[in-house]
């Protein structure tokens, strides 16, 4: 059936959200060695969204492919994605480079375009942003490259029986929400409110070890590592001085007046 | 500004006669630099905050053109034309751009950019700008620079990364610079007595497969959270929606403040998602950020630590919020907030 969904879910391995990042001594990047990494929180939501669509059953979900671009250790987040319910995964191995940093969103989008076309996907669900670079670009760029519709910052994904081949997405916008109806194929980026990702159970983690993970390089997709942006410097933000505590409400009002805040 | 000029001069030196006066040199250079500031509109109203893009354009130097698209946008364009230093407003009059859907807005914008030979394209890092600009960047094969807080020179920008825990200075090598700006870092340009001309833009009227159905905006007569000069924010410590609604709005009213919330408060259903302050919500930088029952997780601090004065009420004196607060009160918010509200009213 032509209306069955084949979903691509790109996931990124990032420094764990609870870790306070430290700038390296040379002020060229964030220190990543020996730091806890995990799947970008928005990408967990994307995987969960894809798996819930399958559980919903209508339209049928034929394939959920998780993909990650990055160093060897990205295979960990792909295993997690498969343990959560992705059918298979693709790892485009790109080792980190001191001078280049990581691949830029535009290059990532170019790889994803190739994959979406080759794998014949009709939906790509991405996180709205990665919590390291905070760019919020990849999904929109991919939609532009493919010429597909886009619904960013989704808080609800819905299908209606009578609207075959269409998806309804409610988006978080400034001041509230808006709802779009998009014709498949479609790019969706996920907001935190979309769902609560499941924990992978031990049996599912074991099963995920048997699922297929294919290995690729950038050259397979005709994309090079060239960067358009050069990092000049990475610095710690200026520290804020905690101004100490006051005893009571009157003290608070007096201090706020003194600081000219009220 | 000085750094910006220096870089412009360095850039231009190879191209122009060094015998000319500094003034002439600068004027030639400024012609090389041509910025398009994307202005937002909603329901026939110009979003004044999007005039921040004009402020950023001023810092770049060079010529400034405004851009506005939608139905009946002429009056808004005329309003924006009064901003000092804007040379022209490009207007695309067509109702299919009213909802800012990037599927047709981005290709239309790309056509206008190619036609106008712009070197810099600036929009706010708002829901509209975030949705639109990367799609535009991909169409033009440009790596966008998101959410910048500072312009160092025509190609070098400063932006926070890792939820504001690091500050990145980055240089773009793209021929066209596509930038979104953090609204709190660039005050909106004021509507004064400028007199930019209006010009009709190109409208390819690209067909699209996405349809806008409806919206549900949180109605509020309070100041807009992202731009308010004072913000009162509540967190998980408020324990319930009832307590949030009972304690936070009166305090906000007493101060004339906007209302914000932590992610924990939003997730627990105490407050609407659009009020969330933090890495994944809104960035605010008011004169006063007063919060109660918020511990100060890094994701929350990312959204408010540029506030001028931070005040907090929390019963846990070791909460990380106290490390950034200028005024901290350790105590039970259920007592202290009503007391503070009463005393502020007097």
């Amino acid at each position: 059936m032509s209306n069955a969904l084949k979903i691509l879910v790109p996931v990124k391995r990032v420094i764990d959200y609870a870790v306070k990042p430290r700038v390296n001594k040379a002020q060229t990047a964030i220190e990543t060695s020996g730091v806890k990494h995990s799947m970008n929180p928005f990408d967990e939501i994307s995987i969960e969204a894809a798996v819930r669509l399958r559980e919903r059953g209508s339209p049928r979900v034929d394939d959920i492919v998780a993909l990650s671009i990055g160093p060897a250790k990205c295979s960990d987040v792909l295993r997690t994605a498969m343990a959560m319910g992705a059918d298979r995964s693709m790892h485009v191995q790109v080792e980190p480079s001191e001078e280049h940093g990581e691949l830029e969103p535009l290059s990532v989008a170019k790889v994803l375009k190739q994959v979406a076309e080759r794998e014949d996907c009709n939906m790509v669900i991405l996180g709205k942003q990665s919590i390291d670079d905070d760019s919020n670009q990849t999904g929109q760029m991919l939609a532009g490259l493919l010429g597909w519709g886009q619904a960013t910052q989704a808080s609800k994904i819905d299908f209606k029986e009578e609207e075959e081949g269409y998806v309804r997405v409610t988006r978080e916008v400034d001041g509230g929400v808006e709802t779009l109806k998009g014709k498949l194929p479609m790019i969706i980026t996920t907001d935190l409110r979309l769902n609560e990702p499941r924990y992978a159970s031990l049996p599912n983690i074991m099963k995920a070890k048997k699922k297929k993970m294919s290995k690729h390089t950038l050259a397979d997709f005709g994309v090079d590592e060239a960067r358009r942006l050069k990092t000049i410097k990475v610095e710690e933000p200026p520290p804020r001085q905690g101004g100490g505590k006051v005893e009571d409400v009157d003290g608070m009002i007096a201090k706020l007046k003194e600081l000219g805040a009220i | 500004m000085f750094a910006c000029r220096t870089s412009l001069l360095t850039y231009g030196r190879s191209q122009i006669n060094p015998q000319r006066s500094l003034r002439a040199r600068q004027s030639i250079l400024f012609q090389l630099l041509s910025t398009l500031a994307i202005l937002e509109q909603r329901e026939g109203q110009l979003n004044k905050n999007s005039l921040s893009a004009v402020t950023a354009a001023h810092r770049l130097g060079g010529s400034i053109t405004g851009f506005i698209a939608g139905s009946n946008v002429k009056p808004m364009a005329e309003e924006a034309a009064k901003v000092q230093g804007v040379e022209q407003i490009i207007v695309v009059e067509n109702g299919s751009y009213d909802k800012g859907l990037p599927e047709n807005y981005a290709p239309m914008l790309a056509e206008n950019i190619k036609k106008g030979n712009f070197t810099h394209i600036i929009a706010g890092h708002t829901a509209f700008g975030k949705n639109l600009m990367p799609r535009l960047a991909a169409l033009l094969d440009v790596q966008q620079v998101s959410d910048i807080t500072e312009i160092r020179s025509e190609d070098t920008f400063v932006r926070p990364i890792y939820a504001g825990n690091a500050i990145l200075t980055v240089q773009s090598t793209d021929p066209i610079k596509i930038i979104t700006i953090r609204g709190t870092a660039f005050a909106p340009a004021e509507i004064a007595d400028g007199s930019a001309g209006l010009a009709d833009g190109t409208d390819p009227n690209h067909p699209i497969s996405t349809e806008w159905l409806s919206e549900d905006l949180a109605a509020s007569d309070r100041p807009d959270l992202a731009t308010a000069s004072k913000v009162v924010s509540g967190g998980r410590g408020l324990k319930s929606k009832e307590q949030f609604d009972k304690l936070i709005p009166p305090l906000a009213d007493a101060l004339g403040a906007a209302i914000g919330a932590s992610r924990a408060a939003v997730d627990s259903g105490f407050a609407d998602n659009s009020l969330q302050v933090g890495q994944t919500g809104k960035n605010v930088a008011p004169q006063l950020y007063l919060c109660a029952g918020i511990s100060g997780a890094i994701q929350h601090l990312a959204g408010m630590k540029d506030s001028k004065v931070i005040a907090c009420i929390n019963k846990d004196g070791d909460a990380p919020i106290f490390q950034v607060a200028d005024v901290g009160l350790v105590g039970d918010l259920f007592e202290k907030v009503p007391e503070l509200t009463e005393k502020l009213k007097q």
Side-chain angles (χ1 to χ4, degrees):
Chain A
M1 191 178 119
S2 63
N3 281 313
L5 295 175
K6 296 182 84 172
I7 308 174
L8 173 66
V9 187
V11 295
K12 186 175 182 184
R13 179 179 176 267
V14 298
I15 290 184
D16 191 84
Y17 74 93
V19 173
K20 186 168 166 54
R22 303 265 170 224
V23 174
N24 68 10
K25 281 213 179 67
Q27 292 197 313
T28 53
I30 292 293
E31 200 64 72
T32 54
S33 60
V35 177
K36 186 187 175 197
H37 284 66
S38 44
M39 192 191 298
N40 181 40
F42 292 100
D43 302 345
E44 288 185 345
I45 291 168
S46 304
I47 293 281
E48 178 68 30
V51 176
R52 286 192 192 188
L53 287 176
R54 161 166 288 151
E55 287 165 354
R56 194 177 186 276
S58 164
R60 199 177 72 233
V61 175
D62 278 354
D63 198 10
I64 301 174
V65 190
L67 174 144
S68 193
I69 306 175
K73 282 182 177 160
C74 285
S75 58
D76 296 351
V77 298
L78 289 172
R79 289 282 167 218
T80 305
M82 291 190 291
M84 288 173 72
D87 298 310
R88 59 194 174 100
S89 63
M90 300 172 70
H91 180 193
V92 184
Q93 195 158 337
V94 182
E95 285 306 319
S97 105
E98 282 278 317
E99 46 195 321
H100 294 123
E102 64 180 24
L103 215 58
E104 290 169 351
L106 185 63
S107 307
V108 171
K110 286 176 179 175
V111 173
L112 296 176
K113 172 181 189 282
Q114 299 280 327
V115 174
E117 286 172 345
R118 281 187 212 179
E119 302 291 328
D120 198 24
C121 297
N122 56 4
M123 182 174 279
V124 186
I125 308 180
L126 309 90
K128 75 165 177 182
Q129 75 192 64
S130 66
I131 60 161
D132 50 1
D133 184 55
D134 283 336
S135 278
N136 194 328
Q137 296 175 358
T138 308
Q140 297 90 309
M141 287 182 157
L142 175 62
L145 294 177
L146 285 164
W148 293 7
Q150 71 184 57
T152 54
Q153 308 194 184
S155 59
K156 195 174 167 205
I157 303 173
D158 205 8
F159 288 87
K160 296 224 177 290
E161 288 288 333
E162 66 277 17
E163 293 174 358
E164 206 176 271
Y166 287 86
V167 57
R168 284 190 178 213
V169 181
T170 301
R171 312 177 51 224
E172 297 289 332
V173 294
D174 297 337
V177 294
E178 68 177 22
T179 303
L180 305 174
K181 179 179 150 189
K183 192 175 192 322
L184 296 174
M186 195 74 187
I187 305 287
I188 297 173
T189 75
T190 59
D191 209 316
L192 280 174
R193 253 225 306 205
L194 182 61
N195 60 45
E196 187 97 13
R198 69 195 63 193
Y199 287 102
S201 66
L202 188 59
N204 285 339
I205 291 170
M206 298 312 285
K207 268 188 238 165
K209 290 188 176 165
K210 296 203 180 76
K211 290 183 179 176
K212 195 178 157 229
M213 186 189 300
S214 58
K215 300 277 182 187
H216 309 267
T217 64
L218 284 180
D220 296 345
F221 305 99
V223 174
D224 62 34
E225 287 191 58
R227 311 297 199 274
R228 310 290 186 85
L229 305 180
K230 274 168 47 187
T231 296
I232 305 293
K233 201 176 194 185
V234 179
E235 297 161 274
E236 300 273 355
R240 248 196 114 94
Q241 296 290 328
K245 292 166 184 166
V246 291
E247 287 301 313
D248 52 21
V249 167
D250 291 325
M252 178 171 248
I253 292 173
K255 188 80 186 284
L256 288 177
K257 281 189 176 147
E258 182 193 319
L259 292 167
I262 55 173
Chain B
M1 193 61 209
F2 178 72
C4 169
R5 288 223 171 105
T6 315
S7 140
L8 283 171
L9 289 171
T10 322
Y11 170 69
R13 223 160 252 158
S14 57
Q15 307 181 22
I16 54 170
N17 184 346
Q19 302 303 319
R20 294 187 191 201
S21 75
L22 184 70
R23 206 178 167 75
R25 236 190 264 172
Q26 280 181 351
S27 76
I28 286 172
L29 285 165
F30 282 178
Q31 281 166 18
L32 296 173
L33 224 160
S34 168
T35 301
L36 189 68
I38 315 298
L39 305 177
E40 294 180 31
Q41 60 102 0
R42 167 159 230 136
E43 315 253 307
Q45 292 291 317
L46 175 70
N47 179 345
K48 303 267 190 334
N49 294 326
S50 68
L51 293 171
S52 290
V54 176
T55 305
H58 273 297
R59 295 202 193 151
L60 279 166
S63 72
I64 304 170
T65 304
F67 184 92
I68 190 158
S71 55
N72 196 21
V73 287
K74 283 258 158 63
M76 287 175 262
E78 276 160 13
E79 208 183 339
K82 291 185 189 149
V83 172
Q84 221 54 262
V86 176
E87 287 182 9
Q88 195 176 55
I89 307 279
I90 296 178
V91 181
V92 174
E93 187 87 42
N94 182 338
S96 64
Y97 303 118
D98 276 349
K99 299 302 179 187
L101 295 177
E103 289 89 341
N104 61 355
Y105 205 120
M108 179 268 292
L109 204 42
E111 291 287 317
N112 284 286
I113 291 161
K114 283 178 196 159
K115 194 178 155 207
N117 285 319
F118 296 100
T119 56
H120 292 72
I121 320 297
I122 307 180
H125 196 66
T126 55
F128 169 81
K130 283 188 250 189
N131 198 24
L132 169 71
M133 297 294 268
R135 188 167 182 127
L136 170 71
L139 295 179
L140 296 172
D141 196 32
V142 168
Q143 177 51 56
Q144 176 184 322
V145 187
S146 289
D147 201 21
I148 68 162
T149 52
E150 202 183 319
I151 293 170
R152 285 275 160 84
S153 74
E154 62 95 16
D155 63 359
T156 306
F157 312 101
V158 178
R159 58 180 299 261
I161 53 174
Y162 287 89
N165 281 291
I167 307 297
L168 168 69
T169 305
V170 75
Q171 184 179 26
S172 165
T173 59
D174 278 316
I176 300 177
K177 275 72 172 167
I178 296 188
I179 306 160
T180 60
I181 55 165
R182 180 169 290 202
T184 55
F186 300 88
E190 276 176 31
I191 291 169
D193 54 357
S195 54
L198 305 194
D200 284 328
T202 308
D203 186 4
N205 220 341
H206 194 82
I208 60 168
S209 60
T210 310
E211 186 190 343
W212 186 93
L213 295 180
S214 63
E215 70 187 357
D216 182 10
L217 302 182
S220 169
D221 40 19
R222 288 177 201 289
D224 174 49
L225 175 59
T227 52
S229 66
K230 291 180 184 130
V231 173
V232 170
S233 203
R236 199 201 302 269
L238 282 148
K239 295 211 167 75
S240 70
K241 178 165 169 47
E242 289 67 40
Q243 294 290 356
F244 192 98
D245 290 345
K246 193 174 139 201
L247 296 182
I248 298 298
L251 179 55
D253 288 341
L255 286 163
I259 293 179
S262 69
R263 187 180 162 208
V266 168
D267 281 353
S268 310
F270 302 175
D272 190 79
N273 196 57
S274 61
L275 302 185
Q276 187 187 320
V277 172
Q279 183 185 21
T280 58
K282 293 235 162 43
N283 283 294
V284 300
Q287 292 293 108
L288 171 64
Y289 188 84
L290 174 53
C291 61
I294 289 179
S295 65
I298 55 175
Q299 293 81 9
H300 187 76
L301 298 182
M304 46 64 85
K305 67 184 167 55
D306 294 328
S307 305
K308 192 145 180 294
V309 174
I310 297 173
C312 72
I313 300 175
N314 203 306
K315 67 173 184 226
D316 174 11
D318 294 326
I321 192 75
F322 285 103
Q323 291 165 22
V324 299
D326 303 285
V327 191
L329 176 59
V330 182
D332 181 358
L333 68 89
F334 296 105
E335 286 169 24
K336 303 295 179 190
V337 170
E339 188 188 341
L340 180 61
T341 305
E342 277 312 306
K343 288 187 169 157
L344 284 170
K345 275 192 203 157
Q346 287 160 17

